[in-house]
Amino acid sequence: MKDELILKYYNYLKKTYNKDAQFVGAGWSSIAFLVDDYIIRFPQQNVDDYIFEAMLCDKIRDNISFQLPKVEIIREKFIFAIHRQIQGFMWDQMTIKHWGIFASDCALFLAETHSINLPGIRKAPRSESISLSLLEETLSFYFDKKMADKICQIYNKVNTYKSEDDVLLHSDFNGKNSVIDESNRLIGVFDWCNSGIGERGKDFIHLFNNMESAIFKTILEEYRKCCGVFLDISYIRELALVELTNKLYWSEKKSPLSYKILGKIK
């Protein structure tokens, strides 16, 4: 079904704009293309998330030291979001050479975002909690009972915790939703459609899951210098475990994806 949608949107863009469209990727919320210097995203869920993203970026742009997209909503045969591509390089742990500079920029971006006060803003979307009985059944495919019980205990603890430290979150800050320059300076951050108010530590989950411990600790220390807030790495670890457990539950059992997730859990 997704392949059919990709082809349908590709043909639409080519016919409408008389230009070739480059398929960028498809995620839970969007199917994205690059046409000239513009990113075009078709919603897989709700176009309201794009409308919210456009409003939010306009409101916070002056408070962030890095580029944010200027998102417009187009209503033609299909409804889609469009913004000029922020030029730079996507990143991962292997491409970063100057970790001190990069850690400082990541920390500054997150500190600036978390300091913004927008009364009445929505809560950040979150995954629906899985019942412990269903979770135990899934975990039994991969873990012994002792380990499965431990994961369920942490899962229940995190999902029943009432946060008193809610801030504005990007909610998906990672190397696919931001770009750097050749000196490893952060240039811009995009894909704000899952943003909203939520638990501060959740903005560090992707960094924790995809970086070596020493590098991640550097980012936490730089963040503390920026805003005075200390985040316990064990707290981030538990948040990350819950997100990975959700992904494991929804992935096909014993598939390559499930084992990739499993490797991060272990």
Side-chain angles (χ1 to χ4, degrees):
M1 180 63 178
K2 184 177 288 188
D3 289 342
E4 292 176 7
L5 279 175
I6 292 170
L7 182 59
K8 181 166 66 174
Y9 292 147
Y10 172 83
N11 288 334
Y12 164 75
L13 291 173
K14 189 171 183 179
K15 180 179 179 181
T16 303
Y17 295 98
N18 197 28
K19 293 181 179 179
D20 197 25
Q22 177 185 340
F23 173 63
V24 175
W28 181 80
S29 60
S30 299
I31 294 175
F33 296 86
L34 177 65
V35 179
D36 286 342
D37 291 333
Y38 289 88
I39 296 292
I40 295 177
R41 292 172 294 155
F42 296 88
Q44 295 218 71
Q45 303 299 324
N46 194 332
V47 72
D48 289 344
D49 288 336
Y50 293 158
I51 296 171
F52 173 82
E53 177 188 33
M55 176 276 296
L56 180 69
C57 287
D58 286 346
K59 281 184 176 292
I60 70 175
R61 196 181 316 280
D62 292 341
N63 301 100
I64 302 291
S65 300
F66 309 94
Q67 294 181 44
L68 304 185
K70 176 68 176 177
V71 180
E72 294 182 56
I73 310 301
I74 305 298
R75 300 175 184 273
E76 296 178 348
K77 178 179 179 180
F78 300 105
I79 300 176
F80 57 88
I82 183 171
H83 66 81
R84 187 178 290 277
Q85 183 183 32
I86 299 174
Q87 298 297 319
F89 307 97
M90 292 185 179
W91 54 269
D92 58 28
Q93 183 167 292
M94 301 301 294
T95 58
I96 301 295
K97 305 301 180 185
H98 306 292
W99 280 108
I101 292 172
F102 179 74
S104 296
D105 283 352
C106 284
L108 178 60
F109 164 70
L110 291 170
E112 288 179 340
T113 302
H114 297 166
S115 69
I116 296 171
N117 182 24
L118 292 176
I121 210 73
R122 75 176 189 184
K123 289 187 178 295
R126 55 179 295 176
S127 300
E128 185 176 346
S129 296
I130 304 162
S131 73
L132 292 182
S133 60
L134 291 175
L135 188 59
E136 288 171 354
E137 182 181 339
T138 295
L139 294 175
S140 68
F141 281 90
Y142 307 100
F143 301 100
D144 60 32
K145 188 175 186 309
K146 182 178 179 181
M147 186 62 178
D149 287 347
K150 182 178 180 181
I151 293 174
C152 285
Q153 183 180 20
I154 295 172
Y155 188 91
N156 187 56
K157 171 188 170 184
V158 170
N159 278 324
T160 56
Y161 174 70
K162 303 297 183 184
S163 172
E164 296 181 359
D165 189 25
D166 287 349
V167 296
L168 177 64
L169 303 176
H170 177 276
S171 289
D172 200 20
F173 178 55
N174 62 67
K176 294 180 180 179
N177 291 337
S178 56
V179 290
I180 59 173
D181 65 15
E182 293 179 347
S183 300
N184 294 165
R185 301 306 304 253
L186 185 64
I187 298 175
V189 182
F190 42 92
D191 281 5
W192 289 78
C193 55
N194 292 316
S195 57
I197 302 300
E199 195 172 349
R200 184 188 300 266
K202 291 185 176 180
D203 254 350
F204 293 85
I205 289 175
H206 289 292
L207 296 172
F208 176 85
N209 280 338
N210 295 287
M211 290 185 171
E212 294 178 2
S213 177
I215 297 168
F216 183 72
K217 287 178 180 177
T218 300
I219 294 175
L220 290 185
E221 175 58 22
E222 291 297 323
Y223 182 81
R224 184 192 64 78
K225 292 177 183 177
C226 286
C227 62
V229 176
F230 170 78
L231 290 171
D232 188 343
I233 196 168
S234 62
Y235 153 72
I236 307 295
R237 184 180 294 112
E238 290 184 345
L239 291 174
L241 177 63
V242 168
E243 173 159 302
L244 289 171
T245 303
N246 281 332
K247 290 181 177 180
L248 184 65
Y249 176 83
W250 291 110
S251 67
E252 183 180 348
K253 288 183 176 63
K254 299 193 175 182
S255 64
L257 175 59
S258 71
Y259 282 111
K260 182 178 180 181
I261 297 167
L262 191 64
K264 291 184 178 182
I265 291 177
K266 290 181 175 179

